[in-house]
Amino acid sequence: MRVYGFIYNDFKKMESFIYNKNINKEDNILIQVFTGVIQLEFIKNIVDEILSLLPQAEIIGTTTAGEIFKKRILINSTVISITIFEKTKIKSKLLNIDNNEYELGKNISKELMEKDTKVLILFSEGLLTNSLDIIKGMQALNKNVIICGGKAGDNGCLRETFVFTKEGISKKGVAAVSLTGKELTVTTDYSLGW
């Protein structure tokens, strides 16, 4: 597994970064986008730009209330994290919430979890969603998968948040990706020293 990260400035710089690292020649690519730019058109454009360079990649993203890059907290920026796996299967899905977060959690499990799924990364809408019920629904079908992620933000404005995959953008949904593989080993940790 290899991980790369950069602050998005424009298409040409992203293209240069991807080609210089030969990322475009890889098959199993997970891209996570964290953006403080709370604009639908900007998000759509960045997803389209990524797919024009890496059509084979799975994308998951969220709007934020501060982006983290190399121990720095940024505001109104976009941070892109690229993870390349050798033997891990990556599958993403965008699901809308229909007022029953518990059932949504069960649907996420049905759509994304397989026998050897080890991790599920989940970004949910940040203002109205009960994420605990989503997790409870997921765990009703599979308690062994590690769940990580968070809720979308909008720079503290509390107006509108978005989550997205290459399937689209949602202001009332969940973006999720599963990592599946017999050889995938997962370790959990935490830090309270912020």
Side-chain angles (χ1 to χ4, degrees):
M1 179 175 87
R2 295 191 319 271
V3 180
Y4 302 99
F6 61 93
I7 299 170
Y8 173 87
N9 292 309
D10 61 45
F11 176 78
K12 286 292 181 192
K13 288 180 183 174
M14 178 171 65
E15 180 182 47
S16 176
F17 182 90
I18 286 170
Y19 288 157
N20 285 338
K21 305 280 185 196
N22 292 315
I23 296 169
N24 56 307
K25 296 179 181 174
E26 300 292 340
D27 292 323
N28 290 333
I29 305 170
L30 170 61
I31 298 178
Q32 296 179 75
V33 181
F34 304 94
T35 185
V37 182
I38 320 298
Q39 299 170 6
L40 279 172
E41 195 60 35
F42 175 82
I43 294 167
K44 183 183 179 325
N45 286 340
I46 202 162
V47 170
D48 289 345
E49 287 178 0
I50 291 168
L51 289 174
S52 74
L53 299 170
L54 301 169
Q56 73 277 31
E58 293 291 339
I59 300 171
I60 183 173
T62 183
T63 56
T64 62
E67 306 76 49
I68 300 170
F69 183 73
K70 294 187 177 180
K71 299 181 182 179
R72 292 184 299 152
I73 298 175
L74 309 170
I75 298 172
N76 296 322
S77 65
T78 300
V79 173
I80 297 178
S81 173
I82 300 173
T83 306
I84 299 167
F85 295 93
E86 289 182 29
K87 298 178 182 177
T88 299
K89 178 180 174 184
I90 308 162
K91 185 176 178 183
S92 66
K93 192 81 179 157
L94 183 67
L95 298 113
N96 281 319
I97 298 168
D98 294 322
N99 298 325
N100 190 330
E101 285 93 344
Y102 182 82
E103 287 301 317
L104 174 66
K106 288 170 66 175
N107 288 338
I108 292 168
S109 291
K110 291 174 189 172
E111 294 271 348
L112 292 174
M113 292 188 194
E114 299 175 22
K115 179 185 172 196
D116 293 317
T117 299
K118 305 280 177 54
V119 176
L120 196 130
I121 303 169
L122 179 76
F123 299 139
S124 69
E125 175 281 327
L127 301 175
L128 305 172
T129 307
N130 184 336
S131 300
L132 184 57
D133 283 349
I134 295 172
I135 292 170
K136 285 178 181 177
M138 293 166 63
Q139 290 178 331
L141 298 182
N142 190 330
K143 293 184 181 196
N144 299 320
V145 173
I146 293 171
I147 301 167
C148 61
K151 296 186 83 160
D154 66 350
N155 297 309
C157 296
L158 305 177
R159 283 189 222 125
E160 189 171 53
T161 65
F162 300 105
V163 294
F164 50 96
T165 67
K166 64 184 180 182
E167 294 177 285
I169 305 166
S170 177
K171 63 180 177 179
K172 191 179 180 189
V174 172
V177 65
S178 61
L179 304 178
T180 303
K182 286 184 179 181
E183 296 182 28
L184 180 63
T185 303
V186 181
T187 304
T188 59
D189 200 357
Y190 62 89
S191 174
L192 301 176
W194 279 73

